[in-house]
Amino acid sequence: MLLELKNIFKWVNSGGQRVFLLKDINLEVEEGEFISVMGPSGSGKSTLLNVIGMLDTFDEGEYNFLDESVHTLKEKHRSNLYKEYIGFVFQSYHLLDDLTVQENLEMPLLYKKFKGFERKAMVADMLDRFNIVGKKDLFPAQLSGGQQQLVGVARALIANPKLILADEPTGNLNSQQSEEIMELFKKLNQEDGVTIIQVTHSEKNAAYGSRIINLLDGRKI
Amino acid sequence: MSPILGVVKDYHFQDLDKAIEPITFYMTKDLPLTYAYVKVGSTNMANSFEAVERAYRKLEPNADFLGSFLDENVDRTFRREKSMALLITSGALIAIILSCIGLFAMSILVVTQRTKEIGIRKVIGASVANITFILTKDFLILVLLAFLIASPIAWWFLKQWLENYEYRIGLSWVFFATAGVLAVAIAFLTIGTRTIKAALANPVKSLRDE
């Protein structure tokens, strides 16, 4: 099992009242799954994704990731864990504007302390795999949305994570670009065995996944 | 001619910027009395001063008594240096405070402008130390640049100023190194609060899609 959430609660205090963002979430994810999280706006999809990605904390419950209990880990240990195993893909790509495609891909490797020659090889390999060798010296602003998201996915994948978390990865793309990104996810999942959890509004995108989780008001339904 | 009664160590009997020259003391009854030096204990200075004055009035009832402490006289020769030091120190202090206010404002601006970038970098694995370094680096480069410009100028002026004095310290690189380290430390303290806070912030907040 890759990860397991047990009775996760997350809330904020607003005007003396407790507003629940996540309510009693239980979830088990096996390696190689492709899960779609669906639900209306404000139902806690992104919050759930951020909790799984260890970017956000929770107030109650247990979270085990590869047999490590995340809720008891120190901040530093936790960030090492997600640095090694988790890659993020965002709706608005979140590439670094001042860096070229090549440099954007290299950045996570720098933070993970890969050596220079390793980084070069891994970046070259990723450029090749995603057919963007010709774009390596362009800046994000010079690319179309679909191409930027391609770079975003490549960046998430570059350090060989076990889990990709995608928060509405096609939200800013047209239907053809969306389809390409979803096909890419499908291929990554089926051929490379990468576990994927995506948040999506679209039934069509959700259908690419092997399992759908529906959320409403922070609760799994 | 009279026999030599003793030899004293070199000491400053003129302004400090003058070299110590030879001086001879005569003990002769033919010369009129101009100065009398009295060594007193340091326990009750005021009483000693009055005792000396009473003794003097008894001996010379018609002359004015112009007594003073020798160490205060020596102090007086330093007055120019002291006021100059005070002037320079207060000027420098005001300059440092003003620069720090500017630096602080700049750090707020830069951190605000780069909030999103900080969030992205954190999500792809940057540590708090990485982020703090990125944000602080540009400022420290400026400080270093200022140091490189200021050091030779300071060195030249200090050298000129020290030339005025016959007895002076040498200019050591240690002074400049200390000043440089101090400048970097002050700059870091000024911008550190903002940058570290930004580095610690939860990236989820800065990356939220509208």
Side-chain angles (χ1 to χ4, degrees):
Chain A
M1 188 162 35
L2 182 65
L3 65 91
E4 181 184 29
L5 300 179
K6 275 192 211 161
N7 308 104
I8 294 285
F9 285 84
K10 183 175 174 62
W11 61 76
V12 288
N13 288 317
S14 160
Q17 275 195 324
R18 212 171 247 192
V19 178
F20 283 92
L21 303 175
L22 295 176
K23 231 180 199 173
D24 198 18
I25 300 285
N26 289 286
L27 179 64
E28 285 179 18
V29 179
E30 300 290 337
E31 267 186 65
E33 281 201 88
F34 186 167
I35 297 176
S36 304
V37 181
M38 296 191 76
S41 301
S43 58
K45 308 184 295 292
S46 296
T47 310
L48 177 62
L49 210 64
N50 290 333
V51 165
I52 292 173
M54 302 175 208
L55 293 179
D56 222 346
T57 54
F58 47 90
D59 297 290
E60 223 177 276
E62 285 177 36
Y63 176 12
N64 299 310
F65 187 93
L66 289 171
D67 297 328
E68 297 245 36
S69 38
V70 176
H71 50 286
T72 58
L73 286 180
K74 289 239 162 59
E75 168 68 29
K76 183 156 188 182
H77 210 102
R78 196 182 317 157
S79 73
N80 282 341
L81 199 63
Y82 95 67
K83 258 201 285 199
E84 192 174 345
Y85 296 112
I86 301 179
F88 290 90
V89 178
F90 297 94
Q91 176 178 0
S92 41
Y93 332 127
H94 286 330
L95 302 174
L96 293 166
D97 298 332
D98 311 338
L99 303 182
T100 63
V101 167
Q102 188 169 227
E103 291 163 339
N104 262 293
L105 292 183
E106 196 180 359
M107 201 45 75
L109 301 176
L110 270 168
Y111 290 134
K112 284 164 193 134
K113 310 256 187 309
F114 281 94
K115 295 199 179 64
F117 68 91
E118 288 177 305
R119 293 202 300 268
K120 281 219 172 60
M122 288 163 97
V123 170
D125 178 52
M126 201 50 80
L127 288 168
D128 207 35
R129 191 164 149 200
F130 281 53
N131 276 322
I132 43 177
V133 180
K135 309 227 159 30
K136 69 181 164 71
D137 293 319
L138 297 181
F139 289 93
Q142 295 168 298
L143 302 176
S144 72
Q147 289 166 340
Q148 287 189 53
Q149 193 58 298
L150 213 54
V151 178
V153 177
R155 183 183 64 183
L157 275 175
I158 193 144
N160 293 314
K162 278 190 183 297
L163 174 65
I164 291 278
L165 298 174
D167 195 351
E168 299 195 43
T170 61
N172 286 9
L173 303 179
N174 66 33
S175 58
Q176 195 214 330
Q177 292 167 331
S178 295
E179 215 163 288
E180 279 170 23
I181 293 293
M182 290 317 298
E183 283 297 333
L184 177 64
F185 276 150
K186 195 172 161 188
K187 189 165 154 259
L188 288 171
N189 177 249
Q190 288 178 350
E191 292 176 16
D192 304 304
V194 181
T195 312
I196 297 172
I197 302 180
Q198 66 161 347
V199 163
T200 184
H201 276 301
S202 123
E203 296 279 351
K204 200 172 152 220
N205 288 349
Y208 281 88
S210 53
R211 176 146 73 108
I212 293 175
I213 293 169
N214 281 296
L215 287 184
L216 185 67
D217 300 329
R219 200 186 275 280
K220 229 172 108 181
I221 49 172
Chain B
M1 275 290 125
S2 49
I4 293 172
L5 294 179
V7 177
V8 296
K9 261 197 275 181
D10 279 357
Y11 76 99
H12 286 280
F13 54 91
Q14 285 171 297
D15 274 353
L16 289 171
D17 52 1
K18 300 244 170 55
I20 296 174
E21 283 163 0
I23 186 169
T24 320
F25 301 100
Y26 293 100
M27 264 182 75
T28 156
K29 289 175 178 154
D30 303 336
L31 289 173
L33 179 71
T34 45
Y35 277 111
Y37 294 97
V38 180
K39 186 167 184 173
V40 296
S42 57
T43 42
N44 199 338
M45 303 285 265
N47 272 358
S48 312
F49 193 82
E50 277 165 23
V52 171
E53 188 175 353
R54 273 200 302 278
Y56 185 83
R57 290 217 182 285
K58 214 168 169 183
L59 292 171
E60 294 278 348
N62 298 324
D64 283 338
F65 175 73
L66 296 168
S68 64
F69 288 105
L70 195 57
D71 55 349
E72 284 173 5
N73 296 359
V74 173
D75 254 8
R76 218 162 294 140
T77 62
F78 274 117
R79 199 180 284 159
R80 195 169 52 127
E81 276 72 20
K82 271 189 178 158
S83 60
M84 191 161 84
L86 186 71
L87 212 68
I88 290 177
T89 312
S90 30
L93 207 67
I94 292 171
I96 289 170
I97 291 171
L98 285 179
S99 326
C100 282
I101 292 173
L103 206 56
F104 186 67
M106 251 163 83
S107 73
I108 292 177
L109 185 74
V110 166
V111 164
T112 317
Q113 276 175 347
R114 299 178 76 172
T115 306
K116 195 162 179 182
E117 185 199 334
I118 295 166
I120 296 173
R121 285 181 185 272
K122 276 198 93 168
V123 168
I124 60 174
S127 65
V128 173
N130 290 143
I131 301 285
T132 311
F133 176 74
I134 290 169
L135 292 174
T136 314
K137 193 182 63 188
D138 296 344
F139 291 107
L140 293 191
I141 286 173
L142 287 180
V143 175
L144 236 53
L145 204 69
F147 175 72
L148 286 180
I149 296 170
S151 295
I153 299 172
W155 177 81
W156 188 80
F157 275 109
L158 277 175
K159 201 163 133 14
Q160 293 290 312
W161 181 65
L162 284 170
E163 297 272 293
N164 292 331
Y165 298 89
E166 202 59 41
Y167 301 95
R168 56 178 178 253
I169 52 167
L171 279 181
S172 156
W173 63 272
V174 177
F175 301 146
F176 296 97
T178 311
V181 169
L182 217 62
V184 169
I186 291 173
F188 186 77
L189 282 179
T190 310
I191 55 181
T193 50
R194 284 290 141 178
T195 49
I196 292 172
K197 201 173 147 203
L200 284 170
N202 186 347
V204 169
K205 293 200 177 82
S206 51
L207 293 184
R208 196 164 285 155
D209 293 306
E210 284 83 41

